[in-house]
Amino acid sequence: MRLDFSPQEETFRREAATWLEGQLSGPFADLRTGRAHDISAPERRKEWERALGRARWSAIGWPEEYGGRNATLAEQVIFAEEYARARAPGRLGHLGIELCGPTILALGTEAQKRRFLPKMSAGEEYWCQGYSEPNAGSDLSNVRTRARLEKGPNGPEWVIEGQKTWTSLAQFADWCFLVTRTEEGSTGARGLSYLLVPMHQKGVTIRPIRQMTGEAEFNETFFDGARTAAENVVGAPGEGWKVAMATLSFERGASTLAQQMGFRNQLDAIIGAAKDNGAARDPLIRQRLAEAYAGLKIMRASSLRMLTSAQSGKLSPEAFTYKIFWATWHRKLGELAMDVLGPAGELGTAAPYELQELTKMFLFSRADTIYAGTNQVQRNIIAERALGLPKEPRGGA
Amino acid sequence: MQFAFTEEQDLIREAAQTFFREHGASQRVRAAMETPLGYDEGSWATMVREMGWAGIALPESVGGTGLGNVELAILQEEAGRCVQPSPFFSTVCLAAPAIRHAGTPAQQESLLGPIATGEARAALALTGAGGAPGLEGIGVTLERSGRKSRLVGEASYVVHGHAADLLVVAARSPGSRGAEGVSLIALPAGTKGVRIEKLVALDLTRPMARIRLENVEVTTTQILGEPEAAAAALTQALRLAQIALAAEQTGGAQGALETTTAYAKQRVQFGRAIGSFQAIKHRLADMMIAAEAAKSAAYYAACIADTAIGELAEAAAIAKSRCSDAFFDCAANMVQLHGGIGFTWEHDAQLYFKRARASSTLLGTPQYHRELLAQLMGLGAAS
Ligand SMILES: Cc1cc2nc3c(=O)[nH]c(=O)nc-3n(C[C@H](O)[C@H](O)[C@H](O)COP(=O)(O)OP(=O)(O)OC[C@H]3O[C@@H](n4cnc5c(N)ncnc54)[C@H](O)[C@@H]3O)c2cc1C
């Protein structure tokens, strides 16, 4: 058990840091925000994604033929940390690179890998996740969106009908990975397929949904006779549930360390504010700041444990607890930020509804315990899969 | 970077699990805890003589195994999982690091040798009647005049002090404060003027003693290192002890979780296992979340202690605060989720609950460590 890095790895760290510094103090200085959720300059963000792709920093863990570097786990950890340390912006391409890409790598065909991965890592194609529906949230297997195979001009095609919701970044996406029912009359986890669907077509309509923060990062997405080629299914038709679940397990990848460094920047901002306004002298605030700091260090240790054992193909117990731990930690950090800022934190910066960074974080952190499995669902998963307790009963039809 | 146990470390854990399955079994723990000594001498002899665990983190030059704090943490974790009573913590985790960090090479050899081989049990006499943690709580004075020195005062919370052959006494020069004037003195328990009284402690699995020193004469060779210059060594030793204690608490949290999970699967009310009620499932999930976070904190700190990267002070404060809280939460839930049986003397929940409370106080409460952390984070002084 060791936490230090080898001299070669430190060389790699310098290489990454140097490149990032060059870009973010040069051509991309305007993007040096460290912000995770920012949809204000999508074209600039796409240029940044393409720059990452050209320099092969976009998906370093992938094989070289798909635009990666075959990077080791330690290198992925290092890059994620340097990325956040440099205050580089949140990745517009993350749904592809972190979720769909690894799924295709693990379960896709050779042709799918060659078709989709290079464009993903190059920042040429963007993705969104079509899982949730109005009546399928935590109970994802209740998906109603349907697809059936029909003859098309260039061979058989899936024709899709239905509605997805809460689709993040759909307005910037070229493709959607979609969980849909392909077996007539099937229910539950059976009869679902994992389709890859182009977004720029007549049958797809996107309607932004304004969030609590005032911004509209997520959308309603309607499929009315939308089409995709028959071969654009990952895994066998009808086996989509397994594929959809595999995607969720990739959410525990090395990029989580970059997220933590982003959290670190937020905590530093809170500490700075506390020192400025005197809150840092308050014994209760001190306890909470220390607790937050400790939690962040533990999060890093947990993710290194998780990633190290994942490398040898093991799912270690802390992996089950990781999502709820960080989500809850971050939600508490938001509350701490508001308590530190005091009344000043409740004032916006511009009309119609521009808020301070930490205030926005306070609001956004309320979503962390909802998406990617709510805290309640996470507890069910821990109790049932890690501790072996009885499963939740299902209601009747 | 490989933040997972090595094969060798896994083997140490397996050996520990085998040992504690027998020696940490509930009846055995309870029988030992009711004796005047408070632990099982046979188990202790096996641990230190056959298994060689007393020297696990001591260098080979003094007869140890030359392994480190990660290996020690593994043993502590497994011992904590069954709340097994023994003078291991006081001897190996508290007194030994104090000697190692403060003593001269000759003192280390003569004092650590018998500890490594299991001949000597030791205790650290640190905290006076006031109970303040760390150096501030020292309740013994070292009065020096020429070559002769005398110890006067009292240490009140000496873990396994009644069972020690060797006392390591923390003392201050008269009127000194903070890091100044702190000495560590090696004192055979039988020395004239040393009065040791076993106390009734909340946690019967970890007895404490009050040690009164009535003008005890000490020679220069008994003072570890230089007189009045032991503050840094003692602080370092306490950090290592906090990490070892945190590892033990992690095991306690895990033990509470395991026992309670098993009970929730088997106890039936309203025609179904109580473990099928979401209120119970979610509490058990929360216990696991806390226990896993505690493990990460303890392993991280033990790793820092061995590789000397990063900040030991910080890692110790994080581990001791988090693992204390996690163990207490898990033990409290253990009582609650067992219902009436959980409140009985007969059920082991009480042992975990009391160990959790007592170990939370020992070597500094979570609040104390978070305040230390606040200072390390550069928050300045509290108002
Ligand atoms: C910011 C944001 C971005 C998102 N982005 C995407 C995206 O890109 N693509 C996508 O597909 N989805 C996305 N989602 C949707 C997200 O995955 C769902 O909101 C989530 O799965 C919860 O589903 P729901 O909203 O239908 O809530 P519900 O499932 O209706 O839950 C309501 C409440 O009931 C509780 N509950 C439900 N089931 C149980 C149970 N069995 N036991 C105990 N409690 C239960 C929940 O915990 C919650 O508190 C996003 C959501 C947010 C907030």
Side-chain angles (χ1 to χ4, degrees):
Chain A
M1 181 168 267
R2 51 186 314 142
L3 281 164
D4 49 341
F5 292 100
S6 73
Q8 294 95 302
E9 287 161 353
E10 292 299 341
T11 307
F12 175 84
R13 182 188 296 281
R14 279 191 296 279
E15 191 198 332
T18 307
W19 186 84
L20 286 162
E21 181 57 38
Q23 297 297 310
L24 291 164
S25 59
F28 291 102
D30 55 317
L31 293 186
R32 194 162 214 175
T33 61
R35 257 186 240 154
H37 302 279
D38 182 359
I39 49 173
S40 54
E43 283 316 311
R44 281 296 282 156
R45 300 275 296 281
K46 288 188 176 178
E47 284 168 32
W48 169 245
E49 293 286 326
R50 288 194 286 272
L52 285 168
R54 277 194 301 276
R56 289 188 174 262
W57 288 117
S58 179
I60 63 170
W62 293 7
E64 287 180 21
E65 55 201 299
Y66 306 130
R69 293 179 176 232
N70 258 324
T72 63
L73 170 63
E75 287 168 343
Q76 294 177 53
V77 167
I78 288 170
F79 183 72
E81 292 186 342
E82 291 307 317
Y83 189 86
R85 202 192 311 279
R87 302 183 69 81
R91 298 283 308 268
L92 199 61
H94 84 270
L95 291 165
I97 305 245
E98 307 297 346
L99 296 180
C100 189
T103 307
I104 292 177
L105 256 182
L107 302 167
T109 62
E110 271 313 303
Q112 286 168 345
K113 290 179 199 175
R114 278 197 306 274
R115 162 62 188 84
F116 293 110
L117 299 180
K119 285 195 170 10
M120 237 180 232
S121 63
E124 286 168 22
E125 286 179 348
Y126 293 84
W127 288 75
C128 64
Q129 177 176 23
Y131 277 33
S132 305
E133 297 181 3
N135 285 311
S138 301
D139 188 10
L140 178 62
S141 70
N142 199 36
V143 156
R144 303 267 168 85
T145 298
R146 285 169 294 126
R148 64 194 138 72
L149 274 178
E150 273 184 20
K151 247 201 220 120
N154 307 312
E157 290 179 330
W158 296 101
V159 180
I160 307 153
E161 304 282 344
Q163 182 193 349
K164 294 290 172 179
T165 189
W166 322 127
T167 327
S168 298
L169 305 177
Q171 64 270 51
F172 310 118
D174 305 295
W175 287 84
C176 179
F177 50 106
L178 188 81
V179 178
T180 177
R181 201 161 288 289
T182 50
E183 279 172 24
E184 194 76 42
S186 67
T187 55
R190 298 230 305 263
L192 298 172
S193 296
Y194 191 98
L195 302 187
L196 310 176
V197 182
M199 292 292 281
H200 306 297
Q201 58 170 307
K202 209 164 81 256
V204 176
T205 314
I206 296 164
R207 240 186 258 149
I209 307 172
R210 199 163 176 212
Q211 299 173 176
M212 188 194 274
T213 54
E215 294 164 339
E217 199 181 26
F218 59 30
N219 306 271
E220 284 181 293
T221 313
F222 299 90
F223 297 87
D224 301 304
R227 290 171 175 261
T228 193
E231 71 258 25
N232 287 338
V233 52
V234 183
E239 302 276 300
W241 181 256
K242 270 192 276 176
V243 185
M245 292 301 108
T247 297
L248 295 182
S249 72
F250 295 121
E251 247 158 345
R252 310 197 195 101
S255 67
T256 186
L257 289 156
Q259 181 194 38
Q260 285 167 32
M261 295 289 291
F263 292 168
R264 176 67 207 256
N265 293 339
Q266 294 168 351
L267 176 58
D268 284 345
I270 298 171
I271 291 171
K275 284 201 217 166
D276 287 347
N277 72 8
R281 288 196 303 273
D282 177 336
L284 289 177
I285 292 287
R286 293 165 75 80
Q287 288 282 314
R288 290 169 64 193
L289 286 169
E291 177 74 4
Y293 183 80
L296 190 58
K297 287 278 168 157
I298 288 169
M299 208 185 292
R300 178 164 192 272
S302 288
S303 51
L304 294 179
R305 268 174 83 197
M306 179 170 83
L307 293 167
T308 306
S309 47
Q311 229 180 353
S312 50
K314 275 186 286 185
L315 185 65
S316 53
E318 76 284 349
F320 284 105
T321 64
Y322 188 71
K323 158 76 204 320
I324 190 171
F325 185 87
W326 76 251
T328 309
W329 178 90
H330 197 225
R331 196 171 66 180
K332 258 198 194 158
L333 188 76
E335 292 165 8
L336 177 56
M338 294 309 280
D339 288 339
V340 162
L341 293 174
E346 292 175 25
L347 295 180
T349 55
Y353 197 64
E354 265 311 306
L355 298 174
Q356 302 171 47
E357 282 302 310
L358 288 176
T359 310
K360 244 191 246 177
M361 185 274 281
F362 164 65
L363 294 180
F364 203 90
S365 67
R366 307 317 288 189
D368 290 332
T369 53
I370 296 173
Y371 66 76
T374 70
N375 273 15
Q376 290 69 36
V377 166
Q378 294 292 339
R379 288 192 181 92
N380 286 345
I381 292 173
I382 293 168
E384 292 168 18
R385 302 212 201 127
L387 298 174
L389 290 158
K391 287 196 129 181
E392 288 296 298
R394 271 204 82 90
Chain B
M1 202 280 299
Q2 266 297 322
F3 197 45
F5 294 105
T6 62
E7 259 169 55
E8 195 192 11
Q9 288 164 343
D10 283 338
L11 288 176
I12 292 173
R13 186 182 295 278
E14 277 165 37
Q17 284 173 346
T18 308
F19 173 85
F20 286 114
R21 244 193 308 278
E22 182 188 341
H23 294 270
S26 175
Q27 307 89 311
R28 213 148 163 172
V29 166
R30 285 165 169 271
M33 135 193 134
E34 310 272 8
T35 63
L37 199 54
Y39 66 89
D40 185 316
E41 283 182 285
S43 298
W44 172 246
T46 312
M47 273 168 95
V48 295
R49 298 262 160 85
E50 273 174 44
M51 312 296 282
W53 286 344
I56 192 154
L58 290 174
E60 289 172 53
S61 57
V62 300
T65 320
L67 296 171
N69 290 287
V70 173
E71 287 81 5
L72 185 59
I74 292 170
L75 296 182
Q76 277 289 99
E77 189 180 349
E78 293 304 326
R81 210 165 131 211
C82 57
V83 294
Q84 197 236 16
S86 90
F88 187 82
F89 178 71
S90 73
T91 304
V92 178
C93 305
L94 267 172
I99 297 166
R100 188 161 170 209
H101 289 280
T104 63
Q107 285 169 330
Q108 290 188 39
E109 204 180 313
S110 69
L111 297 170
L112 293 177
I115 287 179
T117 54
E119 288 154 62
R121 299 156 303 172
L124 180 69
L126 172 71
T127 309
L135 272 52
E136 292 312 311
I138 293 175
V140 175
T141 310
L142 179 68
E143 292 168 358
R144 294 166 67 214
S145 54
R147 304 241 314 279
K148 279 268 155 71
S149 307
R150 290 179 315 157
L151 287 171
V152 184
E154 149 181 332
S156 294
Y157 302 92
V158 185
V159 170
H160 276 101
H162 68 291
D165 306 297
L166 174 71
L167 298 172
V168 177
V169 180
R172 288 192 163 281
S173 57
S176 70
R177 293 191 52 197
E180 255 146 52
V182 176
S183 303
L184 284 171
I185 299 97
L187 203 63
T191 307
K192 191 161 157 280
V194 177
R195 287 175 197 281
I196 302 177
E197 177 194 355
K198 187 183 171 202
L199 303 172
V200 176
L202 171 73
D203 175 9
L204 288 172
T205 65
R206 181 142 52 211
M208 291 190 282
R210 180 182 296 129
I211 296 182
R212 290 208 176 84
L213 303 168
E214 295 166 355
N215 288 318
V216 177
E217 292 198 2
V218 295
T219 61
T220 323
T221 52
Q222 283 178 278
I223 299 178
L224 299 177
E226 292 293 312
E228 300 180 11
L234 179 56
T235 302
Q236 177 77 2
L238 288 176
R239 285 178 188 147
L240 296 174
Q242 285 151 5
I243 293 168
L245 184 56
E248 183 194 290
Q249 292 173 313
T250 296
Q254 180 67 29
L257 171 62
E258 286 165 1
T259 307
T260 312
T261 303
Y263 186 70
K265 290 179 186 173
Q266 161 237 311
R267 170 74 175 165
V268 173
Q269 287 290 279
F270 299 96
R272 49 198 270 215
I274 58 166
S276 69
F277 295 116
Q278 202 173 64
I280 304 275
K281 283 167 77 171
H282 284 193
R283 277 220 188 186
L284 286 162
D286 284 338
M287 288 166 75
M288 178 167 169
I289 296 163
E292 288 303 322
K295 286 180 203 171
S296 293
Y299 302 162
Y300 166 76
C303 217
I304 294 279
D306 279 347
T307 37
I309 50 162
E311 275 297 322
L312 187 67
E314 180 185 294
I318 290 172
K320 181 58 177 51
S321 58
R322 264 310 175 116
C323 297
S324 293
D325 283 342
F327 187 14
F328 188 80
D329 286 351
C330 286
N333 272 319
M334 184 180 190
V335 173
Q336 179 65 25
L337 300 191
H338 276 84
I341 191 86
F343 188 67
T344 62
W345 186 267
E346 177 198 339
H347 196 274
D348 286 350
Q350 60 127 337
L351 303 183
Y352 285 82
F353 186 71
K354 292 169 179 173
R355 173 70 77 84
R357 173 63 234 188
S359 63
S360 177
T361 313
L362 186 59
L363 304 182
T365 61
Q367 292 80 353
Y368 168 81
H369 283 286
R370 279 193 288 269
E371 175 52 34
L372 277 184
L373 200 52
Q375 286 163 27
L376 292 169
M377 287 162 66
L379 295 183
S383 59

